[in-house]
Amino acid sequence: MKRTTPLGAAVAALLLTLGLGAAHAGAANAAPLPEPPATPSASAGLLDALRQDLGLTPAQAEERLRAEKAATEVEKAARQTAGGAYGGSWFDPASGRLVVALTDRAEEAEVRALGADTRVVRHSAATLDRAKSRLDALSAPQGVAGWHVDPKTNSVAVTVVRSERDAPAVRAFVEKARANGPVTVAEAATAPRTYAAGTVGGDPYYTGNVRCSIGFSVHGGFVTAGHCGRAGAAVRGWDGSAMGTFQGSSFPGDDYAYVSIHSGWWTVPVVLGWGATPDRLVRGSAEAPVGASICRSGSTTKWHCGTVLGKNQTVNYSQGAVHQMTKTSVCAEGGDSGGAFISGDQAQGVTSGGWGNCSSGGETWFQPVNEILGRYGLTLHTA
């Protein structure tokens, strides 16, 4: 971007970190120095966001972030160890550990040895994924908000709009869903919607009269939401000047896009903290487990945090269904579309849509960033 404030702050923080090397050892008979206080693993701003949105004290937030990082690593190993018996997993904030669902008790000891708790279930993750795929082939009425594989209930969770739950078309869809596999039904207060907005200012990019938010920098441009613009559409930056062009875009079905940028603009591995937290350096894209804390940055409502509620969810917007989405308890509003979801220093995805707002609360879905990178052959710009 043309502004240097976010980049300057991030680079300064990075150089400061690199400059703090170990002190030279003193003479053998020198008196021992007092042990310095422990360095926080997260910024004061991030800790404050977790306090405000999740009700955590700074100490609780620090401990949770450490536990979630460990759970992310355990999840990779547990999935491989369990093999066909893997039934999904989620982070349990109460225990600070990953819970792994298994269809075979014979795998419990080996998975527990990795540092996870286990739960025996009936259906494997592969079975639930197949059931969800059969639902994806159905045409859903507007009273159905979406569906996803829920490892906690070991089912495909179908979410219906509360006011439409008894509508004949909704009831018929639920019956068809149950015929295709294990299904549970949940309710949402309102139908999901995308978060694009008219031109109202802030720190956005613009396509026509639509304002959206930048997701993550990749080499050559950035990724964002597909509903913000079609391939070939011109993009203007926060200052109104020509910024780039949509090189690829998919919506509905997916909700992702790639924008290449013109000379005079450059990419940085930074997610804006909007003063609530220092700008976040992006160091990778390791996927956070269900139950982990996660934060979102967008041009309308700035910085908010919550938890990962579910993965591989199909969201039924008025424009059509979008697949393989991740559901969160983070709020968002119009203009936040395309903005970054990040967990710690790991990129997670770009904001798609949801229901509610940041005054009364709501839920938001994002398109996972690794899927976007793979689709367009992009490389995430990391610190």
mmCIF file with all atom_site columns, all heavy atoms in Angstrom, residues 236-248:
data_model
loop_
_atom_site.group_PDB
_atom_site.id
_atom_site.type_symbol
_atom_site.label_atom_id
_atom_site.label_alt_id
_atom_site.label_comp_id
_atom_site.label_asym_id
_atom_site.label_entity_id
_atom_site.label_seq_id
_atom_site.pdbx_PDB_ins_code
_atom_site.Cartn_x
_atom_site.Cartn_y
_atom_site.Cartn_z
_atom_site.occupancy
_atom_site.B_iso_or_equiv
_atom_site.pdbx_formal_charge
_atom_site.auth_seq_id
_atom_site.auth_comp_id
_atom_site.auth_asym_id
_atom_site.auth_atom_id
_atom_site.pdbx_PDB_model_num
ATOM 1  N N   . ARG A 1 236 ? -9.460  0.353   -7.006  1.00 0.00 ? 236 ARG A N   1
ATOM 2  C CA  . ARG A 1 236 ? -8.880  1.597   -6.509  1.00 0.00 ? 236 ARG A CA  1
ATOM 3  C C   . ARG A 1 236 ? -8.486  1.414   -5.043  1.00 0.00 ? 236 ARG A C   1
ATOM 4  O O   . ARG A 1 236 ? -9.169  0.715   -4.292  1.00 0.00 ? 236 ARG A O   1
ATOM 5  C CB  . ARG A 1 236 ? -9.870  2.759   -6.630  1.00 0.00 ? 236 ARG A CB  1
ATOM 6  C CG  . ARG A 1 236 ? -10.404 2.959   -8.029  1.00 0.00 ? 236 ARG A CG  1
ATOM 7  C CD  . ARG A 1 236 ? -11.219 4.241   -8.179  1.00 0.00 ? 236 ARG A CD  1
ATOM 8  N NE  . ARG A 1 236 ? -12.232 4.409   -7.134  1.00 0.00 ? 236 ARG A NE  1
ATOM 9  C CZ  . ARG A 1 236 ? -13.422 3.824   -7.165  1.00 0.00 ? 236 ARG A CZ  1
ATOM 10 N NH1 . ARG A 1 236 ? -13.739 2.982   -8.151  1.00 0.00 ? 236 ARG A NH1 1
ATOM 11 N NH2 . ARG A 1 236 ? -14.292 4.053   -6.201  1.00 0.00 ? 236 ARG A NH2 1
ATOM 12 N N   . GLY A 1 237 ? -7.412  2.064   -4.660  1.00 0.00 ? 237 GLY A N   1
ATOM 13 C CA  . GLY A 1 237 ? -6.920  1.951   -3.301  1.00 0.00 ? 237 GLY A CA  1
ATOM 14 C C   . GLY A 1 237 ? -7.634  2.866   -2.341  1.00 0.00 ? 237 GLY A C   1
ATOM 15 O O   . GLY A 1 237 ? -8.588  3.568   -2.698  1.00 0.00 ? 237 GLY A O   1
ATOM 16 N N   . TRP A 1 238 ? -7.150  2.895   -1.096  1.00 0.00 ? 238 TRP A N   1
ATOM 17 C CA  . TRP A 1 238 ? -7.790  3.700   -0.060  1.00 0.00 ? 238 TRP A CA  1
ATOM 18 C C   . TRP A 1 238 ? -7.822  5.176   -0.411  1.00 0.00 ? 238 TRP A C   1
ATOM 19 O O   . TRP A 1 238 ? -8.714  5.919   0.020   1.00 0.00 ? 238 TRP A O   1
ATOM 20 C CB  . TRP A 1 238 ? -7.064  3.516   1.270   1.00 0.00 ? 238 TRP A CB  1
ATOM 21 C CG  . TRP A 1 238 ? -5.629  3.975   1.231   1.00 0.00 ? 238 TRP A CG  1
ATOM 22 C CD1 . TRP A 1 238 ? -4.543  3.242   0.869   1.00 0.00 ? 238 TRP A CD1 1
ATOM 23 C CD2 . TRP A 1 238 ? -5.146  5.285   1.535   1.00 0.00 ? 238 TRP A CD2 1
ATOM 24 N NE1 . TRP A 1 238 ? -3.409  4.011   0.924   1.00 0.00 ? 238 TRP A NE1 1
ATOM 25 C CE2 . TRP A 1 238 ? -3.738  5.270   1.339   1.00 0.00 ? 238 TRP A CE2 1
ATOM 26 C CE3 . TRP A 1 238 ? -5.750  6.468   1.944   1.00 0.00 ? 238 TRP A CE3 1
ATOM 27 C CZ2 . TRP A 1 238 ? -2.938  6.390   1.539   1.00 0.00 ? 238 TRP A CZ2 1
ATOM 28 C CZ3 . TRP A 1 238 ? -4.953  7.592   2.160   1.00 0.00 ? 238 TRP A CZ3 1
ATOM 29 C CH2 . TRP A 1 238 ? -3.563  7.537   1.955   1.00 0.00 ? 238 TRP A CH2 1
ATOM 30 N N   . ASP A 1 239 ? -6.845  5.625   -1.248  1.00 0.00 ? 239 ASP A N   1
ATOM 31 C CA  . ASP A 1 239 ? -6.780  7.044   -1.611  1.00 0.00 ? 239 ASP A CA  1
ATOM 32 C C   . ASP A 1 239 ? -7.485  7.340   -2.929  1.00 0.00 ? 239 ASP A C   1
ATOM 33 O O   . ASP A 1 239 ? -7.433  8.461   -3.432  1.00 0.00 ? 239 ASP A O   1
ATOM 34 C CB  . ASP A 1 239 ? -5.323  7.489   -1.695  1.00 0.00 ? 239 ASP A CB  1
ATOM 35 C CG  . ASP A 1 239 ? -4.522  6.707   -2.727  1.00 0.00 ? 239 ASP A CG  1
ATOM 36 O OD1 . ASP A 1 239 ? -5.075  5.745   -3.298  1.00 0.00 ? 239 ASP A OD1 1
ATOM 37 O OD2 . ASP A 1 239 ? -3.341  7.048   -2.952  1.00 0.00 ? 239 ASP A OD2 1
ATOM 38 N N   . GLY A 1 240 ? -8.140  6.332   -3.513  1.00 0.00 ? 240 GLY A N   1
ATOM 39 C CA  . GLY A 1 240 ? -8.867  6.532   -4.751  1.00 0.00 ? 240 GLY A CA  1
ATOM 40 C C   . GLY A 1 240 ? -8.050  6.337   -6.008  1.00 0.00 ? 240 GLY A C   1
ATOM 41 O O   . GLY A 1 240 ? -8.593  6.375   -7.118  1.00 0.00 ? 240 GLY A O   1
ATOM 42 N N   . SER A 1 241 ? -6.740  6.133   -5.875  1.00 0.00 ? 241 SER A N   1
ATOM 43 C CA  . SER A 1 241 ? -5.891  5.962   -7.050  1.00 0.00 ? 241 SER A CA  1
ATOM 44 C C   . SER A 1 241 ? -5.946  4.526   -7.562  1.00 0.00 ? 241 SER A C   1
ATOM 45 O O   . SER A 1 241 ? -6.293  3.600   -6.824  1.00 0.00 ? 241 SER A O   1
ATOM 46 C CB  . SER A 1 241 ? -4.440  6.330   -6.716  1.00 0.00 ? 241 SER A CB  1
ATOM 47 O OG  . SER A 1 241 ? -3.900  5.424   -5.763  1.00 0.00 ? 241 SER A OG  1
ATOM 48 N N   . ALA A 1 242 ? -5.592  4.342   -8.846  1.00 0.00 ? 242 ALA A N   1
ATOM 49 C CA  . ALA A 1 242 ? -5.594  3.015   -9.452  1.00 0.00 ? 242 ALA A CA  1
ATOM 50 C C   . ALA A 1 242 ? -4.644  2.103   -8.686  1.00 0.00 ? 242 ALA A C   1
ATOM 51 O O   . ALA A 1 242 ? -3.489  2.444   -8.447  1.00 0.00 ? 242 ALA A O   1
ATOM 52 C CB  . ALA A 1 242 ? -5.188  3.103   -10.910 1.00 0.00 ? 242 ALA A CB  1
ATOM 53 N N   . MET A 1 243 ? -5.144  0.924   -8.304  1.00 0.00 ? 243 MET A N   1
ATOM 54 C CA  . MET A 1 243 ? -4.368  0.028   -7.446  1.00 0.00 ? 243 MET A CA  1
ATOM 55 C C   . MET A 1 243 ? -4.048  -1.295  -8.123  1.00 0.00 ? 243 MET A C   1
ATOM 56 O O   . MET A 1 243 ? -2.949  -1.816  -7.997  1.00 0.00 ? 243 MET A O   1
ATOM 57 C CB  . MET A 1 243 ? -5.132  -0.235  -6.144  1.00 0.00 ? 243 MET A CB  1
ATOM 58 C CG  . MET A 1 243 ? -4.404  -1.109  -5.150  1.00 0.00 ? 243 MET A CG  1
ATOM 59 S SD  . MET A 1 243 ? -5.439  -1.384  -3.690  1.00 0.00 ? 243 MET A SD  1
ATOM 60 C CE  . MET A 1 243 ? -4.223  -2.048  -2.554  1.00 0.00 ? 243 MET A CE  1
ATOM 61 N N   . GLY A 1 244 ? -5.028  -1.876  -8.828  1.00 0.00 ? 244 GLY A N   1
ATOM 62 C CA  . GLY A 1 244 ? -4.796  -3.181  -9.416  1.00 0.00 ? 244 GLY A CA  1
ATOM 63 C C   . GLY A 1 244 ? -6.004  -3.696  -10.163 1.00 0.00 ? 244 GLY A C   1
ATOM 64 O O   . GLY A 1 244 ? -6.943  -2.944  -10.474 1.00 0.00 ? 244 GLY A O   1
ATOM 65 N N   . THR A 1 245 ? -5.989  -5.009  -10.439 1.00 0.00 ? 245 THR A N   1
ATOM 66 C CA  . THR A 1 245 ? -7.033  -5.645  -11.227 1.00 0.00 ? 245 THR A CA  1
ATOM 67 C C   . THR A 1 245 ? -7.347  -7.032  -10.671 1.00 0.00 ? 245 THR A C   1
ATOM 68 O O   . THR A 1 245 ? -6.433  -7.770  -10.286 1.00 0.00 ? 245 THR A O   1
ATOM 69 C CB  . THR A 1 245 ? -6.588  -5.785  -12.690 1.00 0.00 ? 245 THR A CB  1
ATOM 70 O OG1 . THR A 1 245 ? -6.209  -4.512  -13.197 1.00 0.00 ? 245 THR A OG1 1
ATOM 71 C CG2 . THR A 1 245 ? -7.710  -6.364  -13.548 1.00 0.00 ? 245 THR A CG2 1
ATOM 72 N N   . PHE A 1 246 ? -8.619  -7.379  -10.623 1.00 0.00 ? 246 PHE A N   1
ATOM 73 C CA  . PHE A 1 246 ? -9.010  -8.735  -10.251 1.00 0.00 ? 246 PHE A CA  1
ATOM 74 C C   . PHE A 1 246 ? -8.536  -9.689  -11.352 1.00 0.00 ? 246 PHE A C   1
ATOM 75 O O   . PHE A 1 246 ? -8.994  -9.632  -12.486 1.00 0.00 ? 246 PHE A O   1
ATOM 76 C CB  . PHE A 1 246 ? -10.533 -8.844  -10.109 1.00 0.00 ? 246 PHE A CB  1
ATOM 77 C CG  . PHE A 1 246 ? -11.067 -8.422  -8.775  1.00 0.00 ? 246 PHE A CG  1
ATOM 78 C CD1 . PHE A 1 246 ? -11.335 -7.082  -8.508  1.00 0.00 ? 246 PHE A CD1 1
ATOM 79 C CD2 . PHE A 1 246 ? -11.315 -9.356  -7.786  1.00 0.00 ? 246 PHE A CD2 1
ATOM 80 C CE1 . PHE A 1 246 ? -11.842 -6.683  -7.283  1.00 0.00 ? 246 PHE A CE1 1
ATOM 81 C CE2 . PHE A 1 246 ? -11.819 -8.977  -6.550  1.00 0.00 ? 246 PHE A CE2 1
ATOM 82 C CZ  . PHE A 1 246 ? -12.082 -7.635  -6.294  1.00 0.00 ? 246 PHE A CZ  1
ATOM 83 N N   . GLN A 1 247 ? -7.603  -10.590 -11.009 1.00 0.00 ? 247 GLN A N   1
ATOM 84 C CA  . GLN A 1 247 ? -7.108  -11.569 -11.960 1.00 0.00 ? 247 GLN A CA  1
ATOM 85 C C   . GLN A 1 247 ? -7.937  -12.850 -11.945 1.00 0.00 ? 247 GLN A C   1
ATOM 86 O O   . GLN A 1 247 ? -7.984  -13.586 -12.917 1.00 0.00 ? 247 GLN A O   1
ATOM 87 C CB  . GLN A 1 247 ? -5.643  -11.895 -11.663 1.00 0.00 ? 247 GLN A CB  1
ATOM 88 C CG  . GLN A 1 247 ? -4.709  -10.726 -11.848 1.00 0.00 ? 247 GLN A CG  1
ATOM 89 C CD  . GLN A 1 247 ? -4.699  -10.228 -13.285 1.00 0.00 ? 247 GLN A CD  1
ATOM 90 O OE1 . GLN A 1 247 ? -4.821  -11.019 -14.220 1.00 0.00 ? 247 GLN A OE1 1
ATOM 91 N NE2 . GLN A 1 247 ? -4.550  -8.921  -13.468 1.00 0.00 ? 247 GLN A NE2 1
ATOM 92 N N   . GLY A 1 248 ? -8.562  -13.140 -10.816 1.00 0.00 ? 248 GLY A N   1
ATOM 93 C CA  . GLY A 1 248 ? -9.414  -14.309 -10.680 1.00 0.00 ? 248 GLY A CA  1
ATOM 94 C C   . GLY A 1 248 ? -10.430 -14.072 -9.591  1.00 0.00 ? 248 GLY A C   1
ATOM 95 O O   . GLY A 1 248 ? -10.141 -13.382 -8.605  1.00 0.00 ? 248 GLY A O   1
#
